[in-house]
């Protein structure tokens, strides 16, 4: 299992981030889309991860025609955020997935007055499909890490994405991995937790409540209530 880096200085504030778990249940064993981070990256190099990344300020400027389901907003906001932030995080997960994999969780609809990072959707006549998202989990990097994220993991049916799988260079070995095989890849603890949870219930659903993966004295803990 890949280990997180350690920080010898004062704790840093976690940055907002979002990932998208695309689950393909069309085969005997469900598969997920994952890629490997470059060995030269400062944060968890060589680890296999779901597509995703940090929240971009421009994600707040996008207003798609579809909205998040009320229960998704409710669960994201349990992490101490607002409905507007919940929407921006969901949009970040969709945007990062498109940038890293070439796949769009979107439908044919106009998208107007969007910033540069979203122009690819406009040119393709697509708008992000927030209604296709479930909320699966969130995680906060330990205080001992020099780089920290407050990550939200969204979940969607792989059959709802369009486009050709083609990496942008941010992730290597990008592919659809059966859950059992994905668990054998170099992954960090929270990724292992999510994959194990998917094995227990391999379908697109929203846990109630969605778990929080965090750390106490550098030891991982999972909270499922009172988040």
């Amino acid at each position: 299992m890949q280990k997180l880096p350690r920080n010898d200085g004062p704790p840093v504030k976690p940055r907002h981030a979002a990932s998208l778990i695309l689950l393909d249940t069309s085969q005997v064993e469900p598969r997920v889309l994952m890629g490997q981070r470059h060995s030269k990256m400062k944060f968890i190099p060589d680890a296999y991860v779901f597509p995703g990344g940090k929240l971009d300020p421009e994600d707040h400027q996008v207003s798609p025609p579809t909205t998040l389901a009320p229960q998704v907003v409710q669960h994201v906001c349990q992490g101490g955020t607002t409905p507007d932030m919940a929407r921006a995080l969901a949009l970040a997960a969709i945007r990062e997935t498109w940038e890293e994999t070439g796949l769009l969780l979107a439908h044919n609809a106009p998208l107007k007055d969007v910033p540069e990072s979203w122009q690819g959707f406009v040119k393709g006549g697509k708008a992000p499909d927030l209604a296709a998202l479930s909320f699966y989990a969130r995680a906060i990097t330990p205080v001992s890490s020099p780089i920290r994220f407050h990550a939200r993991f969204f979940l969607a049916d792989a059959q709802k994405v369009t486009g050709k799988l083609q990496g942008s260079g941010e992730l290597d070995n990008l592919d659809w991995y059966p859950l059992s095989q994905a668990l054998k890849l170099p992954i960090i603890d929270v990724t292992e937790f999510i994959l194990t949870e998917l094995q227990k219930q391999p379908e697109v659903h929203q846990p109630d409540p969605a778990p929080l993966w965090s750390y106490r004295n550098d030891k991982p803990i999972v909270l499922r209530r009172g988040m």
Side-chain angles (χ1 to χ4, degrees), residues 29 41 51-52 55 62 66 68 81 91 93 98 112 127 130 139 155 165 194:
E29 182 178 5
M41 288 185 171
L55 177 70
V62 180
T66 60
L68 289 170
T81 188
L91 288 167
W98 170 64
K112 300 179 180 179
L130 295 184
L155 176 68
L165 183 61
I194 289 175

Side-chain angles (χ1 to χ4, degrees), residues 166-186:
Q166 50 188 5
S168 64
E170 295 186 50
L171 295 177
D172 293 327
N173 302 316
L174 192 63
D175 206 348
W176 297 95
Y177 293 92
L179 292 176
S180 60
Q181 182 181 347
L183 280 163
K184 297 177 182 178
L185 297 171

Side-chain angles (χ1 to χ4, degrees), residues 33-55:
L33 181 63
M34 300 182 72
Q36 187 177 26
R37 293 174 59 84
H38 294 165
S39 59
K40 295 183 179 180
M41 288 185 171
K42 294 182 179 180
F43 188 71
I44 54 172
D46 299 318
Y48 279 78
V49 295
F50 306 111
K54 65 181 180 180
L55 177 70

Side-chain angles (χ1 to χ4, degrees), residues 1 5 17 21 23 47 52 56 75 97 129 137 144 146 155-156 168 180 206 227:
M1 183 184 300
I21 308 164
L23 184 65
D56 190 311
H75 280 264
T97 297
D129 189 3
S144 61
L155 176 68
S168 64
S180 60
Q206 180 159 299
M227 297 189 295

